[in-house]
Amino acid sequence: MKQLIIQGGKPLRGDVYISGMKNSALPVIFGTIAANDVCTIKNLPDVSDIALALDTLEMIGADVRFIDTSTAIIDTRRVRMKSPPLEYVSKMRGSIYLLGAMLGRFGKAQVGYPGGCDFGLRPINLHIKGFEALGARISFSGSAMIDGDAPDGLRGNLVYLDIASVGATINIMLAAVFAEGTTIIENAAREPHIVDMACFLNACGAKISGAGTSMIRIKGVDKLHGCTYELAPDMIEAGTYMVAAAATGGRICVKNVVPKHMESISAKLREIGIPLEITENSITVSGMQSFRGTEIRTNPYPGFPTDMHPQFSALLALSQGMSTVSEGIYSGRFKYVPELNKMGAHIEVVDNAALINGVEALHGAEVKATDLRAGACLVIAALAAHGVTTISGIECIERGYENLVEKLKFLGANIKRT
């Protein structure tokens, strides 16, 4: 069993360089199918989800080779319309983007139902709504396969999303780049990885405007071409290290960030009394001996990100007074709470909110990561706690954090992976 063993109580100090955004990398990797050419993708994070996505591409005919650990050349000219092995796609949520990319390029697709972190039902009804609006027919074979077919081709249309879904917005963009005419996505998601995806597709010859706003316009083209593209830095990785600095009372300079992407996270840290120094591409966080509680509600960007909810709960467990973290995106985000309470936290879940009564200190314990961000929460708690914490289930954490152990060691953490 793989585990992290952390001796807590040491303030983290130093500089940390943020890797490329995982939530951009996955759709861009699968988006290379639409390019039907050679693409060079830079700033790829070295995490297990990315390795799995590249393996999946190779299984359907792509050629992938690395120039260095963060730069891959992906040739999708030999990709064929075939279903990737279910054991691959069922392990990551991002595999759903195969559906849009294949529908756009081939006019048909067959993809296994996606997997990923288990924190509640994440339906694909809005993806289907978008594809059907473009003229595709979606059906299900058995319990695990999704079939798409557009026998008369894809046609541009107006698609209104009932909620601002990141996955549906990206998938509809992928299919619509080849649809005849113009597609307009209303109530589109606005996250930075939506902008990253649109910029990548435009670099391949797509005609997409409005990404980053609630209305995206896609004018269909006949074909795309290869490009060289560098991914934006990962705002969630950056936020995780910012919270770790605050929780351990240390001082970390988080480098290679886009401060605009971090505004909701930065605002909450300042609100509880944590000083920040912000430059054009870095944020320095200085932990304090005491800080106050607050109220957080997760919302689509530019609101507070759901992917930072568990990490902030670990921090607020050490605050003065009461805090409330309400989850407005995924109701199953709270599986970390029993694990954090094993370490001495006082957290109660009521409806879709964590009610946190701050304590003076946490203590080491044996805990288990139930998903990616819950794992990050437990790492932060362990770094701040007195004594030794053993974290199992670290495969979840390795899905989204590049060289976590090495980066934390460089910052002074007493951590090892067994």
Side-chain angles (χ1 to χ4, degrees), residues 226-298:
C227 73
T228 297
Y229 189 76
E230 183 170 350
L231 297 170
D234 194 315
M235 59 182 284
I236 304 303
E237 184 191 18
T240 300
Y241 284 104
M242 290 167 66
V243 172
T248 63
R251 179 180 171 86
I252 298 177
C253 180
V254 182
K255 295 187 171 182
N256 185 39
V257 296
V258 180
K260 177 70 177 175
H261 296 170
M262 312 302 301
E263 285 180 345
S264 63
I265 298 168
S266 298
K268 281 299 173 184
L269 286 173
R270 281 178 163 153
E271 187 177 299
I272 67 174
I274 303 297
L276 306 180
E277 301 168 29
I278 300 177
T279 70
E280 184 179 354
N281 56 13
S282 73
I283 300 176
T284 301
V285 181
S286 300
M288 304 294 289
Q289 285 189 340
S290 64
F291 48 90
R292 53 189 171 271
T294 189
E295 293 185 5
I296 291 174
R297 179 173 179 80
T298 67

Side-chain angles (χ1 to χ4, degrees), residues 148-307:
D149 189 20
D152 300 319
L154 298 173
R155 301 178 304 278
N157 203 349
L158 173 64
V159 181
Y160 177 81
L161 297 179
D162 301 289
I163 60 172
S165 163
V166 171
T169 301
I170 290 175
N171 237 344
I172 294 165
M173 280 198 300
L174 276 168
V177 292
F178 293 117
E180 181 181 347
T182 299
T183 298
I184 296 174
I185 307 174
E186 289 273 18
N187 196 31
R190 299 164 57 187
E191 273 77 359
H193 33 296
I194 299 291
V195 178
D196 225 9
M197 187 62 189
C199 289
F200 164 73
L201 290 172
N202 283 343
C204 293
K207 296 181 179 179
I208 302 172
S209 59
T213 75
S214 60
M215 186 179 79
I216 298 176
R217 185 183 298 267
I218 306 116
K219 186 176 180 180
V221 297
D222 292 331
K223 63 178 182 178
L224 299 179
H225 53 73
C227 73
T228 297
Y229 189 76
E230 183 170 350
L231 297 170
D234 194 315
M235 59 182 284
I236 304 303
E237 184 191 18
T240 300
Y241 284 104
M242 290 167 66
V243 172
T248 63
R251 179 180 171 86
I252 298 177
C253 180
V254 182
K255 295 187 171 182
N256 185 39
V257 296
V258 180
K260 177 70 177 175
H261 296 170
M262 312 302 301
E263 285 180 345
S264 63
I265 298 168
S266 298
K268 281 299 173 184
L269 286 173
R270 281 178 163 153
E271 187 177 299
I272 67 174
I274 303 297
L276 306 180
E277 301 168 29
I278 300 177
T279 70
E280 184 179 354
N281 56 13
S282 73
I283 300 176
T284 301
V285 181
S286 300
M288 304 294 289
Q289 285 189 340
S290 64
F291 48 90
R292 53 189 171 271
T294 189
E295 293 185 5
I296 291 174
R297 179 173 179 80
T298 67
N299 274 303
Y301 187 87
F304 190 90
T306 181
D307 278 354

Side-chain angles (χ1 to χ4, degrees), residues 309-336:
H309 157 174
Q311 299 91 310
F312 260 81
S313 289
L315 174 63
L316 294 173
L318 293 165
S319 67
Q320 292 184 336
M322 291 291 298
S323 297
T324 303
V325 181
S326 302
E327 178 54 53
I329 309 294
Y330 297 126
S331 59
R333 273 285 191 201
F334 297 97
K335 293 181 180 179
Y336 67 88

Side-chain angles (χ1 to χ4, degrees), residues 52-127:
L52 186 59
L54 293 172
D55 287 346
T56 303
L57 273 189
E58 290 183 315
M59 294 298 293
I60 58 174
D63 180 66
V64 179
R65 63 185 178 91
F66 277 88
I67 297 175
D68 55 47
T69 56
S70 62
T71 305
I73 297 176
I74 305 173
D75 184 348
T76 58
R77 289 174 292 184
R78 291 192 177 93
V79 166
R80 297 292 177 260
M81 208 310 289
K82 57 185 285 190
S83 177
L86 187 59
E87 61 266 27
Y88 283 63
V89 299
S90 63
K91 294 178 181 177
M92 57 179 163
R93 179 67 180 173
S95 62
I96 191 66
Y97 301 125
L98 284 162
L99 203 56
M102 286 188 166
L103 269 176
R105 176 169 165 180
F106 301 113
K108 58 177 61 179
Q110 186 180 63
V111 180
Y113 201 85
C117 290
D118 179 17
F119 41 74
L121 184 63
R122 294 188 286 179
I124 60 169
N125 58 308
L126 294 180
H127 302 242

Side-chain angles (χ1 to χ4, degrees), residues 4 55 367 378:
L4 292 179
D55 287 346
V367 294
L378 297 176

